[in-house]
Amino acid sequence: MAAKTDIKKTSLVLAAITVLMFGFGYALVPLYNVFCEITGLNGNKAISVVSETESSEIAQDRWVDVQFDSNVNGDLPWRMKAKQINMKVQPGKFYEATFTVENMKNNDVVGQAIPSVSPSQASLYFKKSECFCFVNQLLKAKETKDMVVRFEVDKDLPEAVEVITLSYTFFRAKAGNS
């Protein structure tokens, strides 16, 4: 009789652990997204919807060098290049940078750009209001497209940061890939 109660108790404990593991796995993606938004990991940061006129005051005497880096994962038959390699910006003002992306294949391909900002502390002060990285991008066969990112460097950027690198890596999108 004691063996049956032990089996029942063990089964209940294992069932509870299974339910907890499933719940943890289900909650892991939203928790990771919140973590990335808070820390700025992988360039994920809350999107600023503040207009230029509502923006905090512009640091008139300060300039920051923003460098642009573009990469394409080896699995994606695209070419990507920033129209400008670097740009001098004033914290508090909005700027636009354009990247040219070309599909080298004879069929349609969907890609997703993953941004990264370095140094990592600068990601907290780099705000994108518009970016091609927000959604998957479809390029038709042999199509070339200009893609824009609209950004602001916050005026509260630490003085020690004089150069920021904005890097994009395009990967083949899982949904709708060809």
Side-chain angles (χ1 to χ4, degrees):
M1 192 70 154
K4 281 188 178 183
T5 58
D6 286 344
I7 291 173
K8 215 180 237 187
K9 203 183 287 186
T10 301
S11 297
L12 287 173
V13 167
L14 290 175
I17 289 172
T18 303
V19 168
L20 288 172
M21 287 174 56
F22 177 76
F24 179 74
Y26 186 76
L28 198 56
V29 171
L31 289 173
Y32 178 75
N33 288 338
V34 168
F35 174 77
C36 287
E37 186 174 321
I38 290 171
T39 63
L41 185 68
N42 286 334
N44 290 344
K45 178 119 173 57
I47 300 167
S48 173
V49 290
V50 177
S51 73
E52 284 184 59
T53 55
E54 297 171 327
S55 179
S56 52
E57 71 182 58
I58 298 167
Q60 298 292 339
D61 59 340
R62 180 159 184 218
W63 291 89
V64 176
D65 189 28
V66 177
Q67 300 175 341
F68 302 102
D69 178 47
S70 53
N71 305 286
V72 177
N73 179 273
D75 184 40
L76 189 63
W78 288 8
R79 224 183 297 183
M80 179 182 187
K81 185 175 182 182
K83 284 207 173 177
Q84 278 188 274
I85 294 173
N86 63 357
M87 182 184 292
K88 293 275 188 198
V89 302
Q90 283 185 297
K93 284 177 102 175
F94 278 89
Y95 294 87
E96 281 187 4
T98 305
F99 291 80
T100 301
V101 184
E102 178 183 4
N103 181 0
M104 307 301 293
K105 228 172 171 190
N106 287 325
N107 57 329
D108 300 355
V109 180
V110 178
Q112 174 66 50
I114 306 298
S116 177
V117 176
S118 64
S120 59
Q121 74 187 72
S123 66
L124 300 172
Y125 303 94
F126 195 90
K127 302 173 185 174
K128 295 183 292 277
S129 63
E130 178 184 333
C131 183
F132 56 90
C133 64
F134 294 159
V135 295
N136 287 352
Q137 298 293 325
L138 168 68
L139 285 182
K140 305 256 184 222
K142 301 290 185 181
E143 178 183 13
T144 300
K145 188 187 284 188
D146 284 342
M147 298 183 185
V148 175
V149 58
R150 185 168 161 77
F151 67 91
E152 173 197 25
V153 175
D154 192 284
K155 70 171 185 63
D156 294 328
L157 178 73
E159 291 289 330
V161 179
E162 297 175 354
V163 178
I164 297 173
T165 302
L166 174 61
S167 179
Y168 286 102
T169 302
F170 254 109
F171 292 89
R172 183 182 295 266
K174 297 296 181 203
N177 67 1
S178 50

